[in-house]
Amino acid sequence: MVAVLEKSTETKLRISGAEAVVRSLLAEEVDMIFGYPGGAVMPVYDALYGFQDQLKHVLTRHEQGAIHAAQGYARATGKVGVALATSGPGATNLITGIADAMIDSTPLVCITGQVGSHLLGSDAFQETDIISISMPVTKWNIQVTKPEELPEALARAFYIAKSGRPGPVLVDITKDAQFAEIDFNYRKCEQIRSYKPIPKLNLESVKKAAELINGSQKPFVLFGQGVILGKAEQEFKTFIEKAGIPSAWTLLGLSALPTDHPLNVGMLGMHGNYGPNRLTNECDVLIAVGMRFDDRVTGDLKRYAKQAKIIHLDIDPSEINKNVKVDVPVLGDCKESLSTLTSLINTNSHPEWLQQFHEHERIEQEQVIKPEMNPQSAELTMAETIQQINKVTNGEAILVTDVGQHQMVACRYTKFQKSKSNITSGGLGTMGFCLPAALGAKLGAPEREVVAVIGDGGFQMTIQELGTIFQTQAAVKIVVLNNNFLGMVRQWQQLFFDKRYSSTELMNPDFIKIAEGYGIKGKTISERKDLASSVKEMLEYDGSYLLEVCVGKEDNVFPMVPSGASVSEVRLS
């Protein structure tokens, strides 16, 4: 690939490659990076020292914390997140977060130090071939061995990370390239020959899609994070309102449409709502917008929406027909695609079809939601904890979740009014994601309340990032839903393995004492009478706060589509 660079932002300076890295970040308007220093990246850290007033560096306690924090920052702000690490174990510790960002389409630029170019391939101290390791989980990567290549490599990295379907890129820089000097002149990348991040919209495809929608009696929209990434929230809302189509969200699509919108019928997938799952196999036209037909959404593909004509709007050609064969593909930026499609559809409504969703919602309310919110039950539930947080935040907070039962409950019950409010690990399902991601989200959006909801298992995977919260004084509100189990695995063991709880029960430490050791105020509750006042106290506290809520040990999450089942076989118990 040959980059076409425009928009010079610097006059020529004679500086080191390390300083060129820092000045390149500033030219890309980066204001915050997350990282952990080490020998092979020390020249960059030395260069950072002189730019502390322009570029804030957040020292995490582990490189995995740095990459997840960069993800949280990117998801909350819509900007490119930046992570910085040394070679060898520093670089490999980024890989989980890079893979997470790749599958969840999060724009990241990861910069790693590398041993000197004369040592490459010699098994030198802390040498790892991070280019080969990261290749399957990056949108693009490059190793820079000559300092004069640095500005163009970084310009290209930022362009690729944020253009089209976003994703992570990695720039690996040898130590000698950091020390050597160059005449620095940075130009932002605006185009790369042979790389076409946004497909040209095919008007004939849009017309075919409009014809199907106009002729449908039971249309159904599935929307994903593509709506948020494409900044198309208003266009999407206009589209469904004109067509009067019930719309359900994927895990990452949550918050693209206000939760209380009359056409928002809930969550898709394995632990999604009853109606959206069952009625997927009853609609006559299925319109997928910015989602990838993940297996957790579709269940058994052989029995997925076989009765429906399927329209798929996406920016990534590789997603078309990858899992579900579609009748009308509409490739392009969804902001443009939706706007064009809306101009061609008829104004319509489908009250009888929408009523079917309401009827399924009533059944779920009676059989699942009321029991979970039962004030007479012996133990506190995850659901009522989330409901209480909702009452205080009024749907205005950013919710960050880890992975497991608490994630499904939090995403099903949290109410949202604003986009970019739900931050979670979707496709990779990374335990340990939440705490550092919440930190990154709060630092990126300090004006917003950030609530981290974590299980006791995932919390302990990156618990050391309490130290970063302490050092940055980020006012993250942390809710640990503690059932002394790896809850989601335990639920499967209960339902499908005859309650053989193999290696899932946890003996947990005193989380409040640990938080206090980091200067973070905390409190544990186990009784319902303390819930409302404790949530209020946490959210009103001026600073970070950890609220541990002890919930039922065998508190399960329903509805549930068992693995390998059809979405029509969703279980309520």
Side-chain angles (χ1 to χ4, degrees):
M1 291 189 295
V2 177
V4 178
L5 300 171
E6 299 174 359
K7 297 185 179 179
S8 175
T9 57
E10 293 278 355
T11 56
K12 285 186 178 180
L13 298 169
R14 189 70 181 174
I15 57 175
S16 69
E19 186 175 336
V21 172
V22 177
R23 288 184 176 274
S24 297
L25 295 176
L26 291 172
E28 291 289 346
E29 300 176 6
V30 175
D31 57 4
M32 186 174 297
I33 62 177
F34 304 85
Y36 202 96
V41 77
M42 208 175 295
V44 174
Y45 272 90
D46 185 62
L48 274 171
Y49 190 82
F51 292 87
Q52 295 175 71
D53 58 336
Q54 300 174 62
L55 183 57
K56 180 178 176 61
H57 176 272
V58 178
L59 174 63
T60 57
R61 297 305 183 261
H62 191 285
E63 290 89 357
Q64 185 180 355
I67 192 76
H68 291 328
Q71 288 177 272
Y73 174 92
R75 297 268 288 275
T77 63
K79 300 177 183 178
V80 177
V82 180
L84 182 61
T86 192
S87 62
T92 57
N93 282 341
L94 296 178
I95 290 297
T96 295
I98 292 173
D100 192 288
M102 184 66 177
I103 201 165
D104 282 354
S105 304
T106 304
L108 298 180
V109 170
C110 304
I111 299 170
T112 54
Q114 184 56 275
V115 300
S117 56
H118 66 290
L119 293 173
L120 289 173
S122 70
D123 291 331
F125 177 67
Q126 290 193 336
E127 181 198 0
T128 299
D129 184 359
I130 196 63
I131 294 299
S132 296
I133 291 171
S134 65
M135 191 170 292
V137 292
T138 49
K139 193 176 175 185
W140 180 73
N141 66 15
I142 188 172
Q143 185 173 78
V144 179
T145 59
K146 298 178 181 178
E148 57 269 20
E149 296 172 354
L150 277 167
E152 183 175 344
L154 287 163
R156 187 187 297 184
F158 275 90
Y159 176 66
I160 293 172
K162 65 188 176 183
S163 59
R165 180 179 179 176
V169 302
L170 184 139
V171 181
D172 189 48
I173 310 170
T174 59
K175 198 167 183 179
D176 51 318
Q178 297 172 51
F179 275 123
E181 290 190 343
I182 60 166
D183 290 323
F184 178 73
N185 185 33
Y186 191 86
R187 292 175 294 172
K188 287 188 177 183
C189 180
E190 302 289 347
Q191 178 186 347
I192 297 174
R193 193 171 63 198
S194 80
Y195 170 56
K196 306 296 180 186
I198 302 177
K200 185 177 180 181
L201 187 64
N202 185 318
L203 288 178
E204 287 304 311
S205 293
V206 181
K207 289 176 183 177
K208 288 178 182 177
E211 289 173 6
L212 283 178
I213 294 168
N214 288 336
S216 66
Q217 300 300 311
K218 294 182 176 182
F220 186 24
V221 168
L222 319 179
F223 65 96
Q225 190 187 201
V227 174
I228 298 171
L229 295 173
K231 299 180 176 63
E233 294 92 340
Q234 185 57 51
E235 287 79 5
F236 177 76
K237 183 169 171 284
T238 301
F239 164 65
I240 64 168
E241 287 177 347
K242 183 176 181 181
I245 305 178
S247 303
W249 37 270
T250 68
L251 188 64
L252 297 185
L254 177 56
S255 85
L257 183 71
T259 313
D260 60 2
H261 191 283
L263 291 173
N264 189 333
V265 295
M267 177 177 167
L268 298 159
M270 181 172 279
H271 289 285
N273 294 109
Y274 188 51
N277 277 312
R278 282 186 58 87
L279 295 176
T280 293
N281 281 357
E282 294 187 25
C283 66
D284 59 3
V285 174
L286 191 67
I287 307 118
V289 184
M291 55 87 73
R292 58 190 180 83
F293 288 112
D294 169 75
D295 63 292
R296 286 296 173 101
V297 165
T298 64
D300 181 7
L301 283 169
K302 294 178 181 177
R303 294 179 284 167
Y304 182 77
K306 292 301 179 183
Q307 79 295 338
K309 296 290 186 182
I310 299 178
I311 302 165
H312 191 178
L313 281 69
D314 210 284
I315 199 169
D316 186 354
S318 71
E319 291 297 343
I320 302 298
N321 295 320
K322 184 178 82 174
N323 296 325
V324 173
K325 182 169 176 56
V326 303
D327 296 279
V328 181
V330 180
L331 277 170
D333 181 275
C334 67
K335 194 175 184 73
E336 179 187 7
S337 303
L338 286 167
S339 180
T340 306
L341 182 59
T342 302
S343 70
L344 297 175
I345 59 173
N346 300 329
T347 301
N348 208 339
S349 64
H350 303 276
E352 293 180 2
W353 173 230
L354 186 60
Q355 184 57 38
Q356 290 189 44
F357 286 91
H358 295 329
E359 179 59 24
H360 281 76
E361 183 181 3
R362 184 193 64 77
I363 294 169
E364 183 178 341
Q365 182 78 28
E366 289 296 322
Q367 296 188 36
V368 178
I369 298 173
K370 279 188 178 179
E372 288 186 336
M373 301 293 185
N374 183 7
Q376 306 305 317
S377 62
E379 298 173 305
L380 269 172
T381 66
M382 293 179 281
E384 60 187 323
T385 305
I386 300 301
Q387 184 187 54
Q388 191 58 49
I389 294 170
N390 272 330
K391 286 182 179 179
V392 184
T393 60
N394 295 314
E396 298 290 330
I398 293 175
L399 174 78
V400 188
T401 53
D402 212 75
V403 173
Q405 287 181 314
H406 71 277
Q407 176 191 33
M408 297 295 101
V409 172
C411 292
R412 283 185 61 237
Y413 285 105
T414 302
K415 308 300 180 186
F416 293 107
Q417 298 300 324
K418 296 180 180 179
S419 185
K420 298 188 185 71
S421 293
N422 176 54
I423 299 174
T424 194
S425 173
L428 198 65
T430 304
M431 290 179 68
F433 171 88
C434 179
L435 189 63
L439 165 70
K442 184 63 180 177
L443 292 175
E447 74 287 355
R448 297 192 66 184
E449 192 75 82
V450 175
V451 180
V453 176
I454 320 180
D456 48 316
F459 184 45
Q460 293 177 82
M461 287 194 167
T462 49
I463 195 170
Q464 73 279 351
E465 298 310 326
L466 290 173
T468 315
I469 291 173
F470 174 49
Q471 186 164 346
T472 59
Q473 294 296 295
V476 179
K477 312 302 183 183
I478 306 159
V479 180
V480 177
L481 297 177
N482 185 358
N483 58 9
N484 291 106
F485 265 108
L486 299 176
M488 187 63 85
V489 183
R490 185 214 54 75
Q491 177 170 335
W492 279 57
Q493 289 173 335
Q494 177 185 342
L495 297 176
F496 307 115
F497 295 89
D498 298 323
K499 290 192 174 182
R500 293 189 294 275
Y501 295 157
S502 177
S503 301
T504 48
E505 189 165 9
L506 295 170
M507 183 178 289
N508 288 321
D510 187 329
F511 291 131
I512 303 306
K513 282 186 178 179
I514 293 172
E516 288 174 352
Y518 285 109
I520 296 171
K521 186 175 175 62
K523 182 179 183 179
T524 298
I525 63 169
S526 58
E527 296 186 32
R528 188 170 286 105
K529 65 181 178 61
D530 299 322
L531 180 61
S533 61
S534 299
V535 168
K536 187 172 184 290
E537 178 185 335
M538 174 188 70
L539 290 168
E540 289 180 350
Y541 184 73
D542 184 17
S544 54
Y545 192 109
L546 191 154
L547 178 64
E548 178 186 18
V549 183
C550 299
V551 296
K553 293 188 74 169
E554 293 188 308
D555 187 3
N556 287 334
V557 182
F558 289 101
M560 179 181 184
V561 180
S563 181
S566 163
V567 289
S568 298
E569 296 169 331
V570 56
R571 294 173 52 169
L572 293 173
S573 62

